[in-house]
Amino acid sequence: GLGLRISHRIVSEVGGEIGIESEHQRGTLVWLALETAPLEVVAPPRPPTFPPPSGREHTARILLVDDEPAILRALSRVLAGYQLTRALNGKEAVQHIEQSGPFDVVFCDVMMPELSGIDVYERAKEICPGQEQRIVFITGGAFTEHAARFIDAIDNPKLGKPFDAGEVRALVKSLTREAVVERESVPAGE
């Protein structure tokens, strides 16, 4: 489920090569060439640990939406300490926004079956005006023409797969700071 673009980046980063050869009515061959590993046994690196958010950020409510459970787990680890809600598809995301929105930040995959990230964006705008502006779109680089036009036309932040943990936390920090300012600027009783 990584997609060719992500696979290419991973293979290239470790000094390998990946290619495709296709012949009409014969089939397609995807090949991968990697250097052999040294014979020495090396302990795997420890996974990074992230300090819990400080100050008011721990109260931020974040909705994570992706049809890949591994992406949800990775985002959950990076954002440990925040109030997280997870959805494995667009339909669940819309239900969460209807039932307990608005969220301070929504990380939403663009390309999902049934309800895409674009559909979530449109429904969020209807259900909870302003919520659509707090969506960070997660992209794997593969789009339909419609999705590519949509992503280019909006100002929402975009996060490429595979993502950098520091970039994720910086986005949350930026967006939650904006959310706190918005809440504080709303007159009492509104």
Side-chain angles (χ1 to χ4, degrees):
L2 288 176
L4 189 55
R5 180 174 175 214
I6 295 170
S7 298
H8 181 266
R9 186 179 336 164
I10 292 169
V11 170
S12 296
E13 285 177 2
V14 297
E17 294 181 52
I18 188 170
I20 297 177
E21 298 171 14
S22 187
E23 192 174 319
H24 183 66
Q25 295 186 344
R26 296 247 1 220
T28 300
L29 170 71
V30 178
W31 57 267
L32 178 71
L34 298 171
E35 293 183 28
T36 57
L39 293 177
E40 65 184 81
V41 177
V42 178
R46 294 180 125 181
T49 58
F50 303 100
S54 60
R56 293 199 278 191
E57 295 163 333
H58 71 282
T59 62
R61 297 178 62 243
I62 302 173
L63 175 59
L64 308 175
V65 187
D66 201 299
D67 59 331
E68 293 182 53
I71 299 294
L72 289 179
R73 283 191 302 274
L75 283 169
S76 295
R77 279 193 307 272
V78 170
L79 298 171
Y82 289 98
Q83 296 177 39
L84 303 177
T85 302
R86 294 162 196 81
L88 277 167
N89 57 55
K91 185 177 178 181
E92 281 182 38
V94 169
Q95 289 171 344
H96 286 301
I97 293 169
E98 286 176 334
Q99 295 168 2
S100 58
F103 289 89
D104 295 305
V105 183
V106 177
F107 284 91
C108 186
D109 191 8
V110 176
M111 302 301 294
M112 295 182 290
E114 294 182 43
L115 287 181
S116 70
I118 299 167
D119 298 323
V120 171
Y121 177 93
E122 296 300 335
R123 290 289 294 133
K125 190 168 22 174
E126 294 170 13
I127 298 165
C128 191
Q131 180 69 84
E132 76 281 2
Q133 297 170 4
R134 306 197 95 31
I135 296 176
V136 175
F137 285 101
I138 305 170
T139 67
F143 298 119
T144 62
E145 276 187 48
H146 171 68
R149 282 192 308 270
F150 173 82
I151 289 296
D152 287 342
I154 59 168
D155 291 331
N156 293 56
K158 289 93 175 166
L159 183 66
K161 293 178 188 175
F163 48 80
D164 176 73
E167 182 182 3
V168 171
R169 292 188 66 82
L171 274 168
V172 169
K173 192 170 190 174
S174 169
L175 291 170
T176 55
R177 184 176 17 254
E178 291 172 18
V180 169
V181 170
E182 286 173 14
R183 278 192 221 119
E184 290 174 352
S185 65
V186 175
E190 287 189 22

